[in-house]
Amino acid sequence: MLGAGLIKIRGDRCWRDLTCMDFHYETQPMPNPVAYYLHHSPWWFHRFETLSNHFIELLVPFFLFLGRRACIIHGVLQILFQAVLIVSGNLSFLNWLTMVPSLACFDDATLGFLFPSGPGSLKDRVLQMQRDIRGAWPEPRFGSVVQRAANVSLGVLLAWLSVPVVLNLLSSRQVMNTHFNSLHIVNTYGAFGSITKERAEVILQGTASSNASAPDAMWEDYEFKCKPGDPSRRPCLISPYHYRLDWLMWFAAFQTYEHNDWIIHLAGKLLASDAEALSLLAHNPFAGRPPPRWVRGEHYRYKFSRPGGRHAAEGKWWVRKRIGAYFPPLSLEELRPYFRDRGWPLPGPL
Protein backbone atom coordinates (compact mmCIF):
# COMPACT_ATOMS: atom_id res chain seq x y z
CA MET A 1 0.00 0.00 0.00
CA LEU A 2 2.86 2.38 0.83
CA GLY A 3 4.39 1.65 -2.57
CA ALA A 4 1.16 2.60 -4.32
CA GLY A 5 1.09 5.88 -2.42
CA LEU A 6 4.71 6.69 -3.20
CA ILE A 7 4.35 6.05 -6.93
CA LYS A 8 1.41 8.46 -6.96
CA ILE A 9 2.99 11.30 -5.03
CA ARG A 10 6.18 10.99 -7.14
CA GLY A 11 4.32 10.50 -10.41
CA ASP A 12 1.52 12.48 -11.99
CA ARG A 13 1.35 16.10 -10.87
CA CYS A 14 -2.43 15.82 -10.43
CA TRP A 15 -1.82 13.73 -7.30
CA ARG A 16 0.08 16.66 -5.80
CA ASP A 17 -2.36 19.38 -6.85
CA LEU A 18 -5.29 17.15 -5.77
CA THR A 19 -7.05 17.05 -9.16
CA CYS A 20 -6.58 13.37 -10.14
CA MET A 21 -10.04 12.37 -8.99
CA ASP A 22 -11.52 14.90 -11.41
CA PHE A 23 -10.59 12.41 -14.15
CA HIS A 24 -10.16 8.96 -12.59
CA TYR A 25 -13.77 7.78 -12.58
CA GLU A 26 -14.23 8.59 -16.27
CA THR A 27 -10.86 7.29 -17.49
CA GLN A 28 -10.33 4.17 -15.35
CA PRO A 29 -10.17 0.85 -17.26
CA MET A 30 -13.83 -0.12 -16.95
CA PRO A 31 -16.11 2.30 -15.10
CA ASN A 32 -19.26 1.04 -13.41
CA PRO A 33 -22.60 2.86 -12.93
CA VAL A 34 -21.49 4.33 -9.57
CA ALA A 35 -18.44 5.87 -11.25
CA TYR A 36 -20.77 7.82 -13.56
CA TYR A 37 -22.33 9.64 -10.61
CA LEU A 38 -19.10 10.01 -8.62
CA HIS A 39 -17.46 11.65 -11.63
CA HIS A 40 -20.04 14.44 -11.42
CA SER A 41 -19.40 15.09 -7.71
CA PRO A 42 -18.46 18.65 -6.62
CA TRP A 43 -14.82 19.70 -7.00
CA TRP A 44 -14.30 19.88 -3.23
CA PHE A 45 -15.39 16.25 -2.87
CA HIS A 46 -12.75 15.19 -5.41
CA ARG A 47 -10.10 17.10 -3.43
CA PHE A 48 -11.22 15.31 -0.27
CA GLU A 49 -10.98 11.94 -2.06
CA THR A 50 -7.41 12.63 -3.18
CA LEU A 51 -6.32 13.75 0.29
CA SER A 52 -7.95 10.66 1.78
CA ASN A 53 -6.08 8.47 -0.70
CA HIS A 54 -2.76 10.00 0.37
CA PHE A 55 -3.65 9.55 4.05
CA ILE A 56 -4.61 5.88 3.61
CA GLU A 57 -1.65 4.94 1.42
CA LEU A 58 1.15 7.07 2.86
CA LEU A 59 0.40 7.42 6.59
CA VAL A 60 -1.95 4.63 7.69
CA PRO A 61 0.56 1.81 6.88
CA PHE A 62 2.74 3.05 9.76
CA PHE A 63 -0.13 2.40 12.19
CA LEU A 64 0.99 -1.24 12.10
CA PHE A 65 3.94 -0.33 14.32
CA LEU A 66 2.04 1.80 16.86
CA GLY A 67 0.42 -0.87 19.00
CA ARG A 68 -2.70 -3.00 19.04
CA ARG A 69 -5.32 -0.25 18.76
CA ALA A 70 -3.53 1.54 15.95
CA CYS A 71 -3.14 -1.78 14.14
CA ILE A 72 -6.90 -2.40 14.39
CA ILE A 73 -7.58 1.11 13.06
CA HIS A 74 -5.22 0.33 10.17
CA GLY A 75 -7.15 -2.82 9.35
CA VAL A 76 -10.53 -1.06 9.45
CA LEU A 77 -9.38 1.86 7.30
CA GLN A 78 -7.68 -0.31 4.71
CA ILE A 79 -10.69 -2.60 4.32
CA LEU A 80 -13.08 0.37 4.07
CA PHE A 81 -10.77 1.99 1.51
CA GLN A 82 -10.73 -1.14 -0.64
CA ALA A 83 -14.50 -1.44 -0.32
CA VAL A 84 -14.88 2.10 -1.68
CA LEU A 85 -12.63 1.22 -4.63
CA ILE A 86 -14.70 -1.91 -5.32
CA VAL A 87 -17.94 0.07 -5.32
CA SER A 88 -16.55 2.81 -7.58
CA GLY A 89 -14.87 0.74 -10.29
CA ASN A 90 -14.30 -2.65 -11.90
CA LEU A 91 -10.70 -3.24 -10.85
CA SER A 92 -11.13 -7.02 -10.98
CA PHE A 93 -9.91 -9.03 -7.98
CA LEU A 94 -7.15 -6.59 -7.01
CA ASN A 95 -9.00 -4.83 -4.20
CA TRP A 96 -10.46 -8.05 -2.81
CA LEU A 97 -6.97 -9.54 -2.49
CA THR A 98 -5.64 -6.35 -0.92
CA MET A 99 -8.16 -6.77 1.89
CA VAL A 100 -6.75 -10.15 2.91
CA PRO A 101 -3.51 -8.99 4.66
CA SER A 102 -5.52 -6.46 6.70
CA LEU A 103 -7.46 -9.30 8.34
CA ALA A 104 -4.31 -10.08 10.35
CA CYS A 105 -4.83 -6.78 12.19
CA PHE A 106 -7.77 -8.20 14.13
CA ASP A 107 -6.93 -10.43 17.11
CA ASP A 108 -9.27 -12.83 18.94
CA ALA A 109 -10.45 -10.15 21.34
CA THR A 110 -11.42 -7.87 18.47
CA LEU A 111 -13.36 -10.56 16.60
CA GLY A 112 -14.89 -12.18 19.68
CA PHE A 113 -18.24 -10.45 19.20
CA LEU A 114 -18.76 -12.51 16.04
CA PHE A 115 -19.02 -15.72 18.07
CA PRO A 116 -21.72 -16.66 20.62
CA SER A 117 -20.65 -16.81 24.24
CA GLY A 118 -22.00 -18.51 27.32
CA PRO A 119 -21.65 -21.88 29.09
CA GLY A 120 -20.99 -24.73 26.68
CA SER A 121 -20.36 -22.50 23.66
CA LEU A 122 -17.36 -22.99 21.41
CA LYS A 123 -15.96 -19.67 22.62
CA ASP A 124 -16.29 -20.76 26.25
CA ARG A 125 -14.57 -24.10 25.59
CA VAL A 126 -11.64 -22.38 23.85
CA LEU A 127 -11.22 -19.97 26.75
CA GLN A 128 -11.23 -22.90 29.18
CA MET A 129 -8.57 -24.71 27.15
CA GLN A 130 -6.40 -21.58 27.17
CA ARG A 131 -6.71 -21.33 30.96
CA ASP A 132 -5.82 -25.00 31.38
CA ILE A 133 -2.61 -24.83 29.35
CA ARG A 134 -1.46 -21.38 30.50
CA GLY A 135 2.06 -21.65 31.82
CA ALA A 136 2.35 -25.34 30.92
CA TRP A 137 4.58 -25.53 27.89
CA PRO A 138 5.13 -29.02 26.45
CA GLU A 139 8.61 -30.40 26.06
CA PRO A 140 9.99 -29.43 22.63
CA ARG A 141 10.01 -32.29 20.17
CA PHE A 142 12.26 -32.83 17.18
CA GLY A 143 9.47 -31.99 14.73
CA SER A 144 8.63 -28.70 16.42
CA VAL A 145 12.30 -27.72 16.51
CA VAL A 146 12.62 -28.39 12.78
CA GLN A 147 9.46 -26.42 12.07
CA ARG A 148 10.67 -23.46 14.11
CA ALA A 149 14.05 -23.53 12.38
CA ALA A 150 12.34 -23.61 8.98
CA ASN A 151 10.11 -20.66 9.91
CA VAL A 152 13.05 -18.59 11.11
CA SER A 153 15.06 -19.46 8.00
CA LEU A 154 12.18 -18.45 5.74
CA GLY A 155 11.80 -15.17 7.62
CA VAL A 156 15.51 -14.40 7.27
CA LEU A 157 15.39 -15.26 3.55
CA LEU A 158 12.42 -12.98 2.91
CA ALA A 159 14.05 -10.17 4.90
CA TRP A 160 17.23 -10.52 2.81
CA LEU A 161 15.32 -10.58 -0.47
CA SER A 162 13.29 -7.56 0.61
CA VAL A 163 16.33 -5.31 1.00
CA PRO A 164 16.31 -4.13 -2.67
CA VAL A 165 12.52 -3.69 -2.44
CA VAL A 166 12.84 -1.35 0.53
CA LEU A 167 15.73 0.55 -1.08
CA ASN A 168 13.60 0.95 -4.21
CA LEU A 169 10.69 2.37 -2.19
CA LEU A 170 13.04 4.90 -0.56
CA SER A 171 14.67 5.88 -3.84
CA SER A 172 13.59 9.06 -5.65
CA ARG A 173 13.79 6.98 -8.86
CA GLN A 174 11.38 4.39 -7.57
CA VAL A 175 10.39 1.68 -10.06
CA MET A 176 6.98 0.07 -9.68
CA ASN A 177 5.34 -3.12 -10.91
CA THR A 178 8.60 -5.03 -11.05
CA HIS A 179 10.31 -7.98 -9.35
CA PHE A 180 13.74 -8.23 -7.80
CA ASN A 181 14.69 -11.89 -8.24
CA SER A 182 14.15 -14.67 -10.74
CA LEU A 183 11.62 -16.45 -8.51
CA HIS A 184 9.40 -13.34 -8.25
CA ILE A 185 9.09 -13.88 -4.48
CA VAL A 186 9.22 -10.17 -3.62
CA ASN A 187 8.15 -7.25 -5.77
CA THR A 188 6.68 -3.76 -5.74
CA TYR A 189 3.29 -2.84 -7.07
CA GLY A 190 1.55 0.46 -7.58
CA ALA A 191 -1.51 1.38 -9.60
CA PHE A 192 -2.52 4.67 -11.24
CA GLY A 193 0.76 6.49 -10.78
CA SER A 194 -0.39 8.46 -13.80
CA ILE A 195 -3.98 9.41 -14.57
CA THR A 196 -5.17 9.86 -18.14
CA LYS A 197 -7.15 13.06 -18.60
CA GLU A 198 -9.19 11.89 -21.59
CA ARG A 199 -10.74 8.54 -22.41
CA ALA A 200 -10.05 6.98 -25.80
CA GLU A 201 -11.68 3.80 -27.08
CA VAL A 202 -11.02 1.50 -30.03
CA ILE A 203 -14.26 0.42 -31.69
CA LEU A 204 -14.04 -2.63 -33.96
CA GLN A 205 -16.40 -2.61 -36.93
CA GLY A 206 -17.19 -4.97 -39.79
CA THR A 207 -18.95 -4.66 -43.11
CA ALA A 208 -20.34 -7.11 -45.65
CA SER A 209 -19.72 -4.64 -48.47
CA SER A 210 -17.33 -5.80 -51.20
CA ASN A 211 -15.80 -2.32 -51.32
CA ALA A 212 -14.67 -1.00 -47.94
CA SER A 213 -14.16 2.49 -49.39
CA ALA A 214 -17.65 2.78 -50.85
CA PRO A 215 -19.67 5.67 -49.34
CA ASP A 216 -22.65 3.35 -48.91
CA ALA A 217 -20.69 0.63 -47.05
CA MET A 218 -22.57 -0.18 -43.84
CA TRP A 219 -20.19 -0.62 -40.90
CA GLU A 220 -21.54 -2.42 -37.82
CA ASP A 221 -20.02 -2.31 -34.35
CA TYR A 222 -18.81 -5.29 -32.33
CA GLU A 223 -19.70 -4.87 -28.66
CA PHE A 224 -17.44 -6.04 -25.86
CA LYS A 225 -18.78 -7.41 -22.61
CA CYS A 226 -17.74 -4.52 -20.40
CA LYS A 227 -15.70 -1.79 -22.03
CA PRO A 228 -17.57 1.28 -23.37
CA GLY A 229 -18.96 0.94 -26.87
CA ASP A 230 -22.59 1.84 -27.57
CA PRO A 231 -23.05 5.20 -25.76
CA SER A 232 -26.52 4.09 -24.64
CA ARG A 233 -25.31 0.95 -22.89
CA ARG A 234 -25.06 1.24 -19.12
CA PRO A 235 -21.54 0.77 -17.69
CA CYS A 236 -21.02 -2.77 -16.44
CA LEU A 237 -20.67 -4.09 -12.90
CA ILE A 238 -18.44 -7.19 -12.79
CA SER A 239 -16.07 -6.97 -9.79
CA PRO A 240 -14.33 -9.21 -8.78
CA TYR A 241 -14.51 -10.85 -12.23
CA HIS A 242 -11.98 -9.77 -14.84
CA TYR A 243 -12.52 -9.42 -18.59
CA ARG A 244 -8.94 -9.54 -19.76
CA LEU A 245 -9.65 -8.63 -23.40
CA ASP A 246 -11.66 -5.54 -22.41
CA TRP A 247 -8.80 -4.48 -20.13
CA LEU A 248 -6.27 -4.86 -22.97
CA MET A 249 -8.47 -2.78 -25.26
CA TRP A 250 -8.21 0.04 -22.70
CA PHE A 251 -4.40 -0.08 -22.95
CA ALA A 252 -4.47 -0.37 -26.74
CA ALA A 253 -6.43 2.89 -27.06
CA PHE A 254 -3.45 4.79 -25.60
CA GLN A 255 -1.11 3.62 -28.35
CA THR A 256 -1.25 2.53 -32.00
CA TYR A 257 -1.95 -0.88 -33.44
CA GLU A 258 1.77 -1.19 -34.25
CA HIS A 259 2.38 -1.35 -30.50
CA ASN A 260 -0.50 -3.82 -30.05
CA ASP A 261 -0.34 -6.21 -32.98
CA TRP A 262 -2.54 -8.66 -31.07
CA ILE A 263 -5.50 -6.47 -32.05
CA ILE A 264 -4.81 -7.30 -35.72
CA HIS A 265 -4.78 -10.96 -34.71
CA LEU A 266 -8.22 -10.40 -33.18
CA ALA A 267 -9.44 -8.70 -36.36
CA GLY A 268 -8.37 -11.76 -38.37
CA LYS A 269 -10.36 -14.02 -36.09
CA LEU A 270 -13.43 -11.80 -36.45
CA LEU A 271 -13.07 -11.96 -40.23
CA ALA A 272 -13.10 -15.74 -39.95
CA SER A 273 -15.97 -15.76 -37.40
CA ASP A 274 -13.77 -17.66 -34.97
CA ALA A 275 -16.06 -19.08 -32.28
CA GLU A 276 -13.56 -18.71 -29.43
CA ALA A 277 -12.84 -15.06 -30.23
CA LEU A 278 -16.53 -14.25 -30.61
CA SER A 279 -17.27 -15.85 -27.24
CA LEU A 280 -15.25 -13.04 -25.65
CA LEU A 281 -17.60 -10.42 -27.07
CA ALA A 282 -21.09 -9.37 -26.01
CA HIS A 283 -22.49 -8.78 -29.50
CA ASN A 284 -21.53 -10.07 -32.93
CA PRO A 285 -23.42 -8.03 -35.57
CA PHE A 286 -22.89 -10.84 -38.08
CA ALA A 287 -24.40 -13.62 -35.97
CA GLY A 288 -26.42 -15.95 -38.19
CA ARG A 289 -24.97 -14.31 -41.30
CA PRO A 290 -21.80 -14.77 -43.38
CA PRO A 291 -18.71 -13.23 -41.73
CA PRO A 292 -17.72 -9.68 -42.65
CA ARG A 293 -15.55 -9.05 -45.68
CA TRP A 294 -13.73 -6.22 -43.98
CA VAL A 295 -12.93 -5.29 -40.37
CA ARG A 296 -11.53 -1.95 -39.22
CA GLY A 297 -10.69 -0.16 -35.99
CA GLU A 298 -12.06 3.31 -35.28
CA HIS A 299 -10.64 5.62 -32.61
CA TYR A 300 -13.10 7.58 -30.46
CA ARG A 301 -12.91 9.96 -27.53
CA TYR A 302 -15.48 9.20 -24.82
CA LYS A 303 -16.87 11.42 -22.07
CA PHE A 304 -19.61 10.77 -19.54
CA SER A 305 -22.86 12.47 -20.46
CA ARG A 306 -24.04 15.18 -18.09
CA PRO A 307 -26.88 14.12 -15.74
CA GLY A 308 -29.99 16.01 -16.77
CA GLY A 309 -28.41 17.05 -20.06
CA ARG A 310 -29.59 16.36 -23.59
CA HIS A 311 -27.58 13.17 -24.09
CA ALA A 312 -28.61 11.75 -20.72
CA ALA A 313 -32.24 12.52 -21.58
CA GLU A 314 -31.75 10.41 -24.71
CA GLY A 315 -30.61 7.50 -22.54
CA LYS A 316 -26.90 7.91 -23.28
CA TRP A 317 -24.33 7.29 -20.58
CA TRP A 318 -21.50 8.39 -22.88
CA VAL A 319 -20.87 11.08 -25.46
CA ARG A 320 -18.33 10.11 -28.08
CA LYS A 321 -16.47 11.89 -30.87
CA ARG A 322 -14.47 10.24 -33.62
CA ILE A 323 -10.72 10.89 -33.50
CA GLY A 324 -9.83 9.00 -36.66
CA ALA A 325 -8.93 5.54 -37.93
CA TYR A 326 -7.12 3.22 -35.53
CA PHE A 327 -6.30 0.69 -38.24
CA PRO A 328 -7.55 0.62 -41.84
CA PRO A 329 -10.06 -1.84 -43.28
CA LEU A 330 -8.54 -5.34 -43.46
CA SER A 331 -9.60 -8.45 -45.35
CA LEU A 332 -8.64 -12.07 -44.84
CA GLU A 333 -6.50 -12.11 -47.96
CA GLU A 334 -4.55 -9.02 -46.88
CA LEU A 335 -3.83 -10.56 -43.48
CA ARG A 336 -2.31 -13.77 -44.88
CA PRO A 337 1.34 -12.51 -45.03
CA TYR A 338 0.91 -10.58 -41.76
CA PHE A 339 -0.06 -13.76 -39.93
CA ARG A 340 2.63 -15.89 -41.54
CA ASP A 341 5.41 -13.39 -40.78
CA ARG A 342 4.56 -13.63 -37.09
CA GLY A 343 4.08 -17.38 -37.01
CA TRP A 344 0.42 -17.09 -36.07
CA PRO A 345 -1.94 -19.88 -37.10
CA LEU A 346 -4.13 -18.79 -39.99
CA PRO A 347 -7.75 -18.47 -38.83
CA GLY A 348 -10.66 -19.94 -40.75
CA PRO A 349 -10.41 -20.04 -44.53
CA LEU A 350 -7.04 -18.29 -44.64
Side-chain angles (χ1 to χ4, degrees):
M1 188 58 65
L2 179 61
L6 288 173
I7 197 63
K8 288 184 177 70
I9 206 69
R10 293 169 175 168
D12 200 319
R13 180 172 179 169
C14 70
W15 287 114
R16 298 189 295 277
D17 61 24
L18 308 182
T19 59
C20 274
M21 299 308 294
D22 293 349
F23 312 99
H24 167 71
Y25 294 117
E26 184 177 69
T27 62
Q28 64 180 307
M30 285 181 283
N32 64 15
V34 177
Y36 173 84
Y37 296 102
L38 287 174
H39 174 71
H40 295 289
S41 300
W43 67 268
W44 56 265
F45 184 73
H46 291 315
R47 304 300 180 271
F48 169 74
E49 290 177 309
T50 311
L51 282 172
S52 299
N53 182 94
H54 293 330
F55 174 70
I56 295 292
E57 293 188 340
L58 293 172
L59 296 179
V60 171
F62 293 100
F63 287 15
L64 289 170
F65 309 104
L66 301 180
R68 175 178 176 271
R69 291 184 178 180
C71 184
I72 294 172
I73 294 173
H74 169 276
V76 171
L77 291 177
Q78 293 293 359
I79 290 176
L80 288 177
F81 179 54
Q82 297 305 316
V84 170
L85 295 179
I86 290 169
V87 170
S88 62
N90 293 299
L91 299 175
S92 70
F93 44 80
L94 172 64
N95 306 116
W96 298 87
L97 291 180
T98 307
M99 285 184 177
V100 175
S102 297
L103 297 178
C105 295
F106 307 108
D107 55 17
D108 292 349
T110 306
L111 300 177
F113 73 95
L114 297 174
F115 303 94
S117 59
S121 65
L122 175 61
K123 184 177 179 180
D124 182 65
R125 294 198 299 271
V126 171
L127 290 174
Q128 184 60 46
M129 291 172 59
Q130 291 175 341
R131 285 192 291 267
D132 292 342
I133 65 174
R134 185 173 297 162
W137 294 98
E139 291 293 327
R141 298 181 179 179
F142 178 75
S144 62
V145 173
V146 172
Q147 181 181 14
R148 182 172 299 179
N151 292 339
V152 172
S153 300
L154 180 59
V156 172
L157 174 63
L158 289 177
W160 171 254
L161 294 176
S162 298
V163 170
V165 179
V166 175
L167 294 177
N168 175 62
L169 289 176
L170 299 176
S171 172
S172 60
R173 298 183 177 181
Q174 177 188 4
V175 179
M176 295 305 295
N177 304 334
T178 188
H179 58 85
F180 294 86
N181 59 75
S182 58
L183 298 178
H184 296 203
I185 296 177
V186 293
N187 58 69
T188 52
Y189 177 80
F192 299 106
S194 296
I195 296 292
T196 53
K197 308 306 186 293
E198 293 184 333
R199 182 179 197 91
E201 289 289 345
V202 178
I203 305 299
L204 299 183
Q205 300 176 330
T207 181
S209 174
S210 58
N211 183 0
S213 302
D216 60 347
M218 182 185 301
W219 291 93
E220 301 177 76
D221 292 359
Y222 288 90
E223 286 290 336
F224 287 72
K225 293 187 176 181
C226 193
K227 90 173 193 68
D230 179 0
S232 298
R233 191 177 68 170
R234 187 186 66 182
C236 67
L237 184 60
I238 58 166
S239 181
Y241 196 70
H242 182 47
Y243 288 126
R244 181 63 176 166
L245 179 59
D246 294 54
W247 195 278
L248 289 175
M249 291 293 290
W250 179 72
F251 284 107
F254 299 148
Q255 301 171 317
T256 65
Y257 73 89
E258 289 90 350
H259 297 97
N260 301 274
D261 57 358
W262 59 266
I263 202 170
I264 305 301
H265 187 270
L266 175 61
K269 288 184 173 290
L270 297 181
L271 285 164
S273 288
D274 181 85
E276 290 187 353
L278 290 171
S279 70
L280 302 176
L281 305 182
H283 173 64
N284 169 23
F286 298 91
R289 299 158 49 192
R293 294 185 178 184
W294 302 87
V295 166
R296 71 181 182 183
E298 290 287 278
H299 214 183
Y300 282 86
R301 181 173 291 113
Y302 274 65
K303 293 182 68 67
F304 275 137
S305 63
R306 182 171 55 85
R310 174 173 61 87
H311 295 94
E314 296 172 353
K316 294 181 179 179
W317 293 78
W318 297 96
V319 179
R320 73 180 186 181
K321 181 179 180 181
R322 184 177 183 272
I323 301 173
Y326 187 78
F327 63 80
L330 301 172
S331 67
L332 281 173
E333 186 62 30
E334 288 177 329
L335 287 180
R336 185 190 299 273
Y338 193 87
F339 271 59
R340 285 180 174 168
D341 288 346
R342 286 159 178 76
W344 294 342
L346 303 178
L350 277 174

